[in-house]
Amino acid sequence: MSEQKVKVNEQETKTYRVQGFTCTDCAKKFETNVKHLDGILDAKVNFGASKITVTGKTTIESLESAGAFENLKVRDDKEQRVERVAFWRQKENFKVYIATFLLISSFFLRLQLGEEHIIPIIGYAASIVIGGYSLFIKGLKNLVRLNFDMATLMTVAILGAAAIGEWGEGAVVVILFAISEALERYSMDKARQSIESLMDIAPKEALIRRGNKEMMVHVDDIQVGDVMIVKPGQKLAMDGVVIKGTSTLNQAAITGESVPVTKTIDDEVFAGTLNEEGLLEVKVTKRVEDSTLSKIIHLVEEAQAERAPSQQFVDRFAKYYTPGIIVFALLLVIVPPLFMGADWSEWIYRGLAVLVVGCPCALVISTPVSIVTAIGNAAKNGVLIKGGIHLEETGGLKVIAFDKTGTLTKGVPAVTDIVTFNNNEEELLTITAAIENGSQHPLASAIMRKAEEHGLNFNEVLIEEFQSITGKGVKAIVNNQLYYVGSPNLFEEVLPKGVKAEIKESILNLQTQGKTVMVLGTDKEVLSLIAVADEIRESSKEVIRKLHQAGIEKTVMLTGDNKRTAEAIGKQVGVSDIEADLLPEDKLNFIKELKSKHYKVAMVGDGVNDAPALAASTVGVAMGGAGTDTALETADIALMSDDLSKLPYTIKLSRRALTIIKQNITFSLAIKAIALLLVIPGWLTLWLAIFADMGATLLVTLNSLRLLRIKE
């Protein structure tokens, strides 16, 4: 029964795209209006992504009626994005052009006909009505409900200006407000474009082969198991696995990697990547809504909706600040005329100016615009930041801990040295690879790969009486000769006099370099040494250097390897601290210990075996987000390209975002304080008040958009 109920609820939840949001207050009001619609159980607006998720039954017409106060346009989330109209040609801006023309004409008519003439006053009044009718409707409705937002304050100020005969000033206020609203809309659209550009990465249809037929199919109708044909120069529409062909794919859109990657049979490929050279046939493995690109878009939109700590502070502050400003303005209007015999019209004018300048618009918008912009920029560069809180926390990091295997190193063992003792190297490598072919040991694959690189036919070698020696190695007969492959300890037992001193020295030298040594020999002598190591990523050393340069106080390498191997790799990479012989729970305890000392600690791992440590850290960073569900789910930040070089960029972006948020909050409050101080000598005019308020809003928005320019 409960299962059936869940299914019903799932069907009732739907997401719509919303066009026309200009401020967080409007978004909140729209959400409230939708919640009051018939048949709606719940509604949640995501301002950053311009979306509303509705639980219940409704129509697009009903939703648009709930957003009529802001002339919001609603469309189905699955519909293709509507074509963007140039800013100057947007319908909403035409009223601004007409109102501005009337204002300028009336100003010149007043100069010619005099201040008291009726024609300039009619011109100003027409300018006020045309430029501000939607503002008045909104403001008057709010006034009735005692909801004192920006529209309410502005309506009171403009009506007050008209009442005391300041028609020109009222018109200037309306025009400045309309212009700033249009520019604010433009700025928010620019910030949101980073997400919308992600949506446009993958094509909406693909060439599919079903049986012997090839047809163009919309992505919504493509099924798992369909074969997708991708020609050179085309983008992939779906995630899948290559079943035919070889080509290079540009994966920059998903992983941020600028260098194209070669893909061949059995390789995983992602929607939105560009096929550069060959014809590929790809078996679809995920439906369109489950693709890596869809997950990225969904997670980024969720992240933009999440409130950052500074935003929570601003929201709490604005809750008390706005009523405070209204009370202050009211006292300013009443007290001087009543108790000091001052002129009523002058103090009404000053009170109106305080109402306008006191609006918290710039303050409220200062944080969300920065968060939306920074997270969008990061996504385009192959870094998935899963919320404003994680963006801010990353900006304050002092310590970064790295898992060794698969993070600082490639996680794939490779043969680094072959030492032979008076024998043919290729012959001995062939014998070793042939014997190891039957082994399950992880290092065996490294030896076989090395033999393949040399073009050795080890598969043709006849192996007899293969036997595993638990924990030590293997033995087998090749060409009537018994050979052993295993650890140096095995040969201490097998050889009558143990391993010779000079060979022991060679083994020790290789081990000191952080390598694991495998030995090939008979029961009489050691024939060769093969050193295997997990290779360090080319970028690791440079990344650690850049992090120290950026002011990260401590970089720590955590590994389950022995101390000697760990120190060899740690020194090569350049980390400041090395912790070896750790079990997963030891890593977790170490992260907790670091947090207790340094407060903000990041853990960088592969998102699978490092899950407890990632969860315990201030910021968990997972490697290889593309195609790795665990990485996307476990971590706060996912590096989509499995490339550490994105880490310094992420730190830089987070720090810049933190700086810009602080600048915005400080600037918004400072400009209010200065403008309010101008009330005392009577220098704060209505148009100066609107200029200060709207100027602050625009400047914080434009300042936030600087985050779009941050590159690696």
Side-chain angles (χ1 to χ4, degrees):
M1 184 69 184
S2 60
E3 204 176 304
Q4 198 175 355
K5 197 175 179 184
V6 170
K7 279 182 182 172
V8 170
N9 283 346
E10 272 178 17
Q11 286 171 353
E12 290 174 343
T13 300
K14 199 170 179 188
T15 302
Y16 299 89
R17 299 218 158 260
V18 186
Q19 243 184 337
F21 280 146
T22 52
C23 65
T24 47
D25 272 352
C26 314
K28 207 176 284 180
K29 189 176 174 186
F30 177 54
E31 182 179 281
T32 308
N33 290 355
V34 171
K35 281 179 180 174
H36 290 135
L37 291 174
D38 290 339
I40 298 294
L41 302 174
D42 194 22
K44 192 177 181 189
V45 165
N46 180 334
F47 174 66
S50 269
K51 279 175 139 185
I52 183 165
T53 303
V54 176
T55 305
K57 289 183 179 178
T58 188
T59 62
I60 285 177
E61 289 73 26
S62 302
L63 292 173
E64 287 188 342
S65 69
F69 69 94
E70 182 83 340
N71 198 25
L72 299 177
K73 294 282 170 258
V74 180
R75 69 179 196 281
D76 198 305
D77 189 27
K78 286 192 175 179
E79 271 182 44
Q80 214 161 349
R81 191 156 63 92
V82 289
E83 208 172 314
R84 196 174 283 280
V85 180
F87 174 66
W88 308 111
R89 288 172 47 216
Q90 285 174 7
K91 264 195 274 181
E92 297 93 330
N93 296 336
F94 282 104
K95 65 177 185 183
V96 183
Y97 306 147
I98 297 165
T100 307
F101 173 74
L102 285 169
L103 172 70
I104 295 165
S105 306
S106 303
F107 174 74
F108 285 112
L109 283 169
R110 195 182 73 168
L111 290 178
Q112 285 183 320
L113 303 172
E115 282 198 22
E116 302 303 317
H117 202 283
I118 192 73
I119 292 175
I121 290 173
I122 290 170
Y124 283 135
S127 176
I128 288 171
V129 171
I130 291 167
Y133 69 88
S134 55
L135 168 74
F136 297 141
I137 293 164
K138 223 189 299 183
L140 291 169
K141 280 181 182 173
N142 288 351
L143 199 57
V144 171
R145 296 184 191 124
L146 296 177
N147 177 11
F148 291 95
D149 68 354
M150 181 65 188
T152 320
L153 302 184
M154 292 296 297
T155 303
V156 171
I158 293 158
L159 292 175
I164 57 174
E166 294 287 350
W167 289 96
E169 287 237 5
V172 170
V173 167
V174 166
I175 301 301
L176 283 173
F177 180 76
I179 289 170
S180 69
E181 250 198 341
L183 288 173
E184 209 176 300
R185 199 164 52 244
Y186 171 73
S187 304
M188 277 310 297
D189 276 355
K190 283 290 277 183
R192 290 191 187 108
Q193 273 174 36
S194 56
I195 294 300
E196 294 201 344
S197 64
L198 280 178
M199 291 173 192
D200 291 343
I201 287 169
K204 295 287 176 258
E205 52 183 21
L207 183 63
I208 296 292
R209 183 193 295 129
R210 286 180 183 159
N212 297 322
K213 278 188 179 179
E214 289 184 6
M215 61 193 97
M216 290 300 289
V217 180
H218 193 275
V219 287
D220 290 339
D221 302 320
I222 296 173
Q223 301 296 322
V224 172
D226 278 345
V227 175
M228 181 169 62
I229 297 160
V230 191
K231 295 172 184 174
Q234 288 185 339
K235 284 186 177 179
L236 278 74
M238 308 287 280
D239 282 14
V241 171
V242 178
I243 56 169
K244 190 178 178 184
T246 300
S247 183
T248 53
L249 261 62
N250 186 330
Q251 300 192 142
I254 303 293
T255 65
E257 290 169 292
S258 54
V259 180
V261 181
T262 302
K263 297 283 183 178
T264 188
I265 293 167
D266 291 338
D267 283 343
E268 190 177 11
V269 289
F270 310 112
T273 56
L274 176 68
N275 180 19
E276 293 196 337
E277 290 173 359
L279 181 76
L280 289 178
E281 290 191 13
V282 176
K283 186 179 180 183
V284 175
T285 54
K286 291 177 183 173
R287 285 188 53 76
V288 65
E289 61 269 21
D290 300 323
S291 71
T292 301
L293 179 63
S294 296
K295 277 187 179 171
I296 293 170
I297 292 166
H298 175 70
L299 287 167
V300 170
E301 289 181 339
E302 289 295 304
Q304 290 182 336
E306 191 186 304
R307 288 172 185 272
S310 50
Q311 191 177 342
Q312 289 168 353
F313 156 74
V314 166
D315 288 349
R316 281 198 304 272
F317 181 81
K319 194 177 169 184
Y320 301 105
Y321 166 83
T322 309
I325 284 289
I326 291 165
V327 171
F328 176 61
L330 202 63
L331 292 172
L332 207 62
V333 168
I334 295 167
V335 174
L338 274 183
F339 299 102
M340 294 154 67
D343 180 39
W344 275 98
S345 65
E346 185 191 332
W347 285 95
I348 287 171
Y349 181 85
R350 288 191 191 187
L352 295 174
V354 165
L355 270 187
V356 172
V357 83
C359 180
C361 232
L363 188 63
V364 169
I365 209 165
S366 59
T367 308
V369 183
S370 305
I371 300 292
V372 167
T373 310
I375 288 175
N377 183 10
K380 285 173 82 173
N381 282 288
V383 178
L384 193 56
I385 302 173
K386 288 166 67 177
I389 186 166
H390 308 307
L391 181 76
E392 286 195 19
E393 296 282 25
T394 305
L397 288 174
K398 293 290 175 205
V399 179
I400 301 181
F402 296 88
D403 172 50
K404 178 185 79 73
T405 309
T407 304
L408 291 172
T409 64
K410 291 178 180 174
V412 180
V415 173
T416 55
D417 304 82
I418 298 174
V419 181
T420 58
F421 302 101
N422 307 318
N423 294 91
N424 179 319
E425 184 182 307
E426 289 203 344
E427 186 190 333
L428 293 178
L429 183 57
T430 307
I431 292 167
T432 313
I435 295 169
E436 287 287 17
N437 203 3
S439 169
Q440 296 298 311
H441 198 278
L443 300 182
S445 57
I447 293 169
M448 288 186 285
R449 271 199 306 276
K450 189 72 175 174
E452 281 167 2
E453 281 170 28
H454 283 263
L456 306 175
N457 294 325
F458 60 89
N459 287 311
E460 293 172 14
V461 176
L462 183 66
I463 303 292
E464 296 174 294
E465 295 182 32
F466 175 87
Q467 193 182 332
S468 179
I469 305 162
T470 309
K472 292 171 185 173
V474 293
K475 64 178 181 176
I477 293 173
V478 179
N479 298 330
N480 300 319
Q481 172 67 56
L482 178 63
Y483 290 96
Y484 291 85
V485 181
S487 66
N489 291 343
L490 172 66
F491 284 86
E492 289 291 354
E493 294 173 16
V494 168
L495 298 174
K497 293 181 181 176
V499 180
K500 289 179 185 175
E502 61 268 28
I503 294 175
K504 273 187 188 173
E505 199 177 323
S506 298
I507 291 168
L508 193 62
N509 282 339
L510 291 166
Q511 285 176 336
T512 310
Q513 294 167 37
K515 296 167 183 175
T516 303
V517 179
M518 308 265 288
V519 184
L520 169 72
T522 64
D523 52 7
K524 294 187 180 70
E525 61 179 334
V526 169
L527 299 171
S528 74
L529 307 177
I530 298 176
V532 178
D534 183 3
E535 287 184 292
I536 291 168
R537 289 178 186 268
E538 291 84 356
S539 58
S540 294
K541 193 174 181 179
E542 181 64 8
V543 166
I544 300 296
R545 187 187 66 77
K546 280 184 180 174
L547 290 173
H548 285 300
Q549 221 172 29
I552 296 294
E553 290 169 11
K554 192 186 272 197
T555 51
V556 189
M557 185 181 85
L558 309 179
T559 179
D561 271 355
N562 63 69
K563 202 162 175 50
R564 189 185 291 162
T565 304
E567 281 181 351
I569 288 171
K571 279 174 188 166
Q572 273 180 271
V573 172
V575 290
S576 51
D577 287 41
I578 297 155
E579 295 292 325
D581 297 310
L582 300 177
L583 296 168
E585 57 264 34
D586 297 329
K587 288 183 185 178
L588 174 64
N589 293 331
F590 188 76
I591 292 291
K592 285 179 178 173
E593 194 185 314
L594 279 173
K595 271 179 84 176
S596 67
K597 291 179 188 171
H598 295 275
Y599 305 111
K600 294 196 175 179
V601 184
M603 171 70 192
V604 187
D606 60 12
V608 185
N609 58 346
D610 301 310
L614 286 169
S617 59
T618 314
V619 180
V621 183
M623 297 282 289
T628 316
D629 291 348
T630 319
L632 289 175
E633 286 158 19
T634 312
D636 305 316
I637 296 174
L639 307 180
M640 303 303 290
S641 64
D642 196 21
D643 180 6
L644 266 184
S645 62
K646 301 284 176 192
L647 197 57
Y649 154 78
T650 309
I651 301 284
K652 179 181 166 187
L653 178 72
S654 304
R655 286 188 174 171
R656 192 72 61 84
L658 211 51
T659 304
I660 282 176
I661 287 167
K662 285 173 184 171
Q663 284 172 355
N664 286 350
I665 293 170
T666 308
F667 179 74
S668 304
L669 292 173
I671 207 156
K672 302 284 179 206
I674 293 165
L676 289 171
L677 287 172
L678 294 178
V679 171
I680 299 162
W683 296 344
L684 185 67
T685 62
L686 262 179
W687 69 267
L688 193 62
I690 187 85
F691 198 73
D693 181 69
M694 292 309 167
T697 305
L698 274 175
L699 280 170
V700 300
T701 308
L702 294 171
N703 192 32
S704 300
L705 290 180
R706 284 168 54 216
L707 289 164
L708 285 173
R709 290 164 46 201
I710 294 175
K711 303 272 189 296
E712 279 183 71

